[in-house]
Amino acid sequence: MAVLYERRFEPYDGALTSRWARRLVIPRYAMRDILRSRMALITFVAGFALPAVSAAVIYARHNATVLELLGQGFVDQVSIGTEFYTTFLVMQGWMTFVLALVVGPPLMARDLSDNALPLYLSRPISRLTYGAGKLAVLLVPLSAITWLPVLLLSLLQYGFDGAPWWQEHGHAVPAAFLASWALILPLSMVTLALSSLVSRRWVARGLMLGAVFVSRGMAEAINAVLDTRWGYLISPTRVVGTVWNQLFGGSDLLTLTGGPTLTPLSGWIVLALACIVSALVIASRIRAYAEVRS
Amino acid sequence: MQDLGVRLGGRPILHDLSAELSGRALGLLGPNGAGKTTLIHTLLGFHRPSAGTAEVLGHDIRDRNDARALRRLVGYMPERDSFIGDMSAVRFVRLMGELSGLPPRVALERAHEALIAVGLGESRYREIRTYSLGMKQRAKLAQAIVHGPKLLFLDEPTNGLDPAGRIRMVRLVQQIRDSGVTIVLSSHLLHDVEQACEEVLILKDGRIARHCDLAAERKTNQRFLDIEIRGDRQAFAAAVAELGCQVALHGRSQLKVITPAEVTVRDLYAAAAANDVHIRRFSHRRDSLEDIFLAAMGITAGPVAQQGEGTGDRASSGTLSPTDTHAAVVADSSTEAS
């Protein structure tokens, strides 16, 4: 450790970290901030409750002692297949939303409100590195409670039942993987875009809640007034439900109200548009300077 | 810089800037809107030049990879408040160090050093949003020097500071300069630039209005003397001219003298004594940065009294001309010799 009481300015000629290590600095610091926030930490840990219960159920279905206690009916009731993954993702989907709601809004807002971007961008990192770093901070924890547990649970189930289970239900695993990304990628990008636009985190959270709940009511109103079903295009839950419905090959659980649904293509287009618009908004906000137009 | 031009929002901001800046400490001067900040941003690679080119520390700013490599070697203290409010200063400066490529342990060590160096040692664990304006400025300076840059861009570092804070900041900049770091200091406060810089680039409407070497300027000024005497002025003027000086008479009892390098003040006093002349007032003319700046801006306060000798001036337009009002400036700061 150097002597700290001396006032001195010394050039640095020592070793530098690699470009990849520098790229990880932003997500590393942001993740540490998340873990310091009690609310974020509680939400993140709560996101592992269902995967833990699911793992326990899978184990219980293959444990003779537990089966003796619970009876064979338990095995018949809980089947690890499409229905299981759909239920799992619907429940984790809401958990994902809550986690994004807690973690997302401050991500860029605090850099922008304190004008820290010139300091980031005057260093050897690009705008893309900054944006990707911030996005990773959302994608990593959201992945940890969606597709990662899906894969681990599938591996566990495969370990117990082997190839016969895979042949019968294996198609649900890639579907669940894609369904997870169809949720977490647009959600992360929209959250980050909101964070870049709204400096107050509570306002950003309000907007996110409004986008999910108010838009459902508005969609129903549009459908009723215009006698159409395209009003659902503004409802994120309906759009994601439509896309998941296609991926899982149709499920009553995902149509929610059982009413008319969107076409899967329109759902994918809305999700893609959400990502593109968000990316454009984020890119326009990552600036080292304010451009003054005359 | 070679014919450097920058357009922002379709509007030309910098035009045809050509200069070679080699001094240790460069002052960027100009009124608000002259293009100082835009020039710094361009040299940092934030703006792509619309014309011409520039090289900083051997890196071409037009090349994206080169510009990124350059940003590893420079430090930047922006004009506006820039920090992460809910981070402690030491964590903030460490983050900036790591982003510049310092390994985490080294970044932490140097963050402590930098904060102590700028005088924030006692409060380095406090969140930056709790800092006063002066402390925030110093935290900004700490993040700019944490990675040991070879070149430091300081954009209005004394903005908004009270006199004591300004003096402290200028002293810090001087210390950094004296430790061997090249400084580019943008300011509209002439005194700050005069205190901290050795070379000055004056911008006006996005163009170079003046580029001069302050050190050479100061050295030249030492050879201009304003002398007031009692006695035979003609005889004294002749004696001084015999020493090899250029002499001009003005007023009723005054002389302006340009001395060659080998003539000392003692020689002038000897000449005065030999001619029974009493020197009543004796001052080195001091051509202040304010005069240089006003001349560059095209603002003259009075008629030209005497043309200055070859100074450190490198400007392509305008000349450095002492004015009559200049004498008033001189009188305030002159050395009374008798």
Side-chain angles (χ1 to χ4, degrees), chain A residues 39-253:
Chain A
M39 191 159 72
L41 193 61
I42 290 170
T43 315
F44 188 47
V45 171
F48 290 104
L50 184 62
V53 169
S54 302
V57 167
I58 291 172
Y59 176 76
R61 288 179 76 246
H62 299 88
N63 185 286
T65 315
V66 178
L67 279 179
E68 252 179 54
L69 285 169
L70 297 175
Q72 189 58 35
F74 175 69
V75 175
D76 300 333
Q77 271 181 349
V78 184
S79 154
I80 309 299
T82 303
E83 201 66 23
F84 169 82
Y85 286 117
T86 312
T87 312
F88 180 85
L89 277 185
V90 166
M91 294 173 75
Q92 285 301 90
W94 286 109
M95 211 57 233
T96 302
F97 176 70
V98 173
L99 187 57
L101 198 67
V102 172
V103 171
L107 277 180
M108 274 183 75
R110 71 178 194 162
D111 290 343
L112 287 166
S113 62
D114 290 331
N115 190 37
L117 282 181
L119 304 183
Y120 283 101
L121 299 178
S122 63
R123 295 187 145 73
I125 63 162
S126 64
R127 292 166 61 214
L128 182 66
T129 304
Y130 174 85
K134 292 290 180 180
L135 190 63
V137 179
L138 274 169
L139 285 175
V140 168
L142 298 192
S143 295
I145 61 169
T146 51
W147 62 267
L148 263 172
V150 161
L151 294 185
L152 290 174
L153 290 173
S154 304
L155 210 63
L156 185 66
Q157 174 64 21
Y158 182 81
F160 283 125
D161 285 348
W165 173 82
W166 182 256
Q167 280 165 3
E168 192 177 347
H169 301 289
H171 60 91
V173 178
F177 177 79
L178 279 176
S180 300
W181 277 101
L183 171 69
I184 65 172
L185 186 61
L187 176 63
S188 300
M189 295 201 69
V190 170
T191 305
L192 200 59
L194 270 175
S195 170
S196 74
L197 287 172
V198 184
S199 57
R200 293 183 185 278
R201 61 191 71 175
W202 288 106
V203 177
R205 282 174 186 147
L207 286 172
M208 285 176 71
L209 286 168
V212 170
F213 296 108
V214 178
S215 65
R216 281 175 74 172
M218 284 176 65
E220 294 292 351
I222 290 170
N223 286 350
V225 171
L226 300 178
D227 191 24
T228 179
R229 59 178 175 159
W230 297 109
Y232 286 135
L233 287 174
I234 67 164
S235 169
T237 50
R238 182 62 73 160
V239 169
V240 172
T242 302
V243 167
W244 281 7
N245 204 31
Q246 184 206 19
L247 287 171
F248 287 112
S251 165
D252 287 342
L253 187 66

Side-chain angles (χ1 to χ4, degrees), chain B residues 140-203:
Chain B
K140 254 185 349 185
L141 182 60
Q143 65 78 31
I145 59 171
V146 63
H147 53 294
K150 291 184 167 48
L151 171 64
L152 187 57
F153 290 103
L154 305 170
D155 198 352
E156 307 278 4
T158 55
N159 240 8
L161 297 182
D162 59 21
R166 263 185 62 193
I167 291 168
R168 180 183 280 198
M169 179 60 77
V170 170
R171 276 194 194 139
L172 279 171
V173 172
Q174 287 170 334
Q175 283 172 16
I176 295 168
R177 178 198 65 191
D178 295 341
S179 71
V181 178
T182 303
I183 303 276
V184 175
L185 169 65
S186 162
S187 178
H188 59 266
L189 299 174
L190 304 179
H191 183 71
D192 296 350
V193 172
E194 199 162 27
Q195 294 285 306
C197 299
E198 290 151 338
E199 193 177 0
V200 174
L201 190 72
I202 302 176
L203 295 178

Side-chain angles (χ1 to χ4, degrees), chain B residues 80-318:
Chain B
R80 291 171 57 197
D81 265 357
S82 296
F83 48 86
I84 301 173
D86 56 3
M87 263 192 192
S88 69
V90 73
R91 188 153 184 265
F92 164 69
V93 176
R94 181 189 185 185
L95 164 64
M96 292 300 150
E98 284 192 48
L99 285 172
S100 292
L102 298 182
R105 271 181 64 93
V106 177
L108 177 62
E109 194 173 297
R110 289 188 66 95
H112 284 290
E113 286 176 7
L115 286 163
I116 288 166
V118 299
L120 290 175
E122 294 292 318
S123 44
R124 62 190 190 274
Y125 295 107
R126 270 170 56 188
E127 286 186 353
I128 299 178
R129 66 178 161 203
T130 65
Y131 278 8
S132 67
L133 182 63
M135 292 166 86
K136 282 175 184 168
Q137 291 285 78
R138 282 184 277 151
K140 254 185 349 185
L141 182 60
Q143 65 78 31
I145 59 171
V146 63
H147 53 294
K150 291 184 167 48
L151 171 64
L152 187 57
F153 290 103
L154 305 170
D155 198 352
E156 307 278 4
T158 55
N159 240 8
L161 297 182
D162 59 21
R166 263 185 62 193
I167 291 168
R168 180 183 280 198
M169 179 60 77
V170 170
R171 276 194 194 139
L172 279 171
V173 172
Q174 287 170 334
Q175 283 172 16
I176 295 168
R177 178 198 65 191
D178 295 341
S179 71
V181 178
T182 303
I183 303 276
V184 175
L185 169 65
S186 162
S187 178
H188 59 266
L189 299 174
L190 304 179
H191 183 71
D192 296 350
V193 172
E194 199 162 27
Q195 294 285 306
C197 299
E198 290 151 338
E199 193 177 0
V200 174
L201 190 72
I202 302 176
L203 295 178
K204 182 187 178 188
D205 298 331
R207 297 177 193 278
I208 295 179
R210 199 55 169 275
H211 178 201
C212 63
D213 185 338
L214 278 182
E217 200 76 45
R218 289 183 192 120
K219 200 172 172 186
T220 306
N221 286 339
Q222 290 298 309
R223 294 163 55 200
F224 281 84
L225 300 171
D226 200 352
I227 305 172
E228 187 180 336
I229 61 165
R230 182 186 292 167
D232 187 345
R233 191 164 63 145
Q234 294 292 349
F236 179 64
V240 171
E242 269 181 34
L243 291 172
C245 302
Q246 295 176 47
V247 187
L249 306 178
H250 74 112
R252 291 199 306 180
S253 57
Q254 288 164 292
L255 302 92
K256 284 182 187 270
V257 177
I258 301 170
T259 61
E262 66 274 12
V263 174
T264 64
V265 172
R266 180 184 291 271
D267 296 331
L268 297 177
Y269 273 98
N275 290 280
D276 201 20
V277 165
H278 177 57
I279 294 179
R280 298 189 65 199
R281 195 171 67 85
F282 182 101
S283 62
H284 285 290
R285 198 202 71 185
R286 185 167 173 273
D287 208 355
S288 74
L289 185 55
E290 186 178 351
D291 295 311
I292 298 172
F293 182 74
L294 291 176
M297 292 295 108
I299 304 165
T300 51
V304 173
Q306 181 184 346
Q307 182 64 46
E309 201 192 30
T311 63
D313 186 17
R314 297 184 200 165
S316 54
S317 63

